[in-house]
Amino acid sequence: MTDWKMVTGDATRHLRRNGLIGGAIALLILVIAPPTAGAHGFTAPLGWWLLLTFSLLPLAFSVHLLFDAALFRLAASHGAEDAGLSAIDDVLSRMGLRAGVATPRTLTERLSGCRRLVWLQRVTLAIGVGLYLVLLLDAMDGGGA
């Protein structure tokens, strides 16, 4: 197995793991927040809207990461790095997500974009967990009594 295929395979596994775990945590927050953090009174409507936003954003990033993992898996199925990266660009242009380019971006550039997505997912997820904890503490305190 060539070096670029190992890097691509590792990226696929990491992106899939980050996408699944981050999505599961965001879904967990969406499921447990209403019964545990006092949704019966919606003590702080702005807090609940923010919690919803910062739970849906990591879900969107998770879907994007899982899509990127599938694209990297497609690239790894090709024999040469240039052919694999061109296949990614071809899929993106056929789906209408990106205009066709003459020279494909390098693997390093693509991986740095994925690292940025993972970072954004983690930040929004941390904000969502923090908001949930604030709403939970508010509900435990009496929630407007």
Side-chain angles (χ1 to χ4, degrees), residues 19-89:
L20 291 175
I21 292 173
I25 293 170
L27 280 174
L28 182 67
I29 291 171
L30 283 172
V31 169
I32 67 169
T36 60
H40 51 278
F42 286 110
T43 55
L46 177 61
W48 284 100
W49 282 111
L50 287 172
L51 180 65
L52 180 65
T53 301
F54 284 103
S55 295
L56 292 178
L57 276 173
L59 277 176
F61 289 133
S62 294
V63 170
H64 196 299
L65 290 171
L66 292 172
F67 180 69
D68 283 351
L71 290 176
F72 279 118
R73 185 173 178 192
L74 170 72
S77 69
H78 287 76
E81 181 178 357
D82 292 338
L85 297 178
S86 295
I88 290 175
D89 288 333

Side-chain angles (χ1 to χ4, degrees), residues 15 65 68 107-122:
L15 291 174
L65 290 171
D68 283 351
L107 184 60
T108 306
E109 291 172 338
R110 293 174 194 271
L111 291 175
S112 69
C114 291
R115 278 191 289 275
R116 182 181 55 85
L117 278 175
V118 170
W119 182 81
L120 285 171
Q121 180 200 33
R122 289 180 180 172

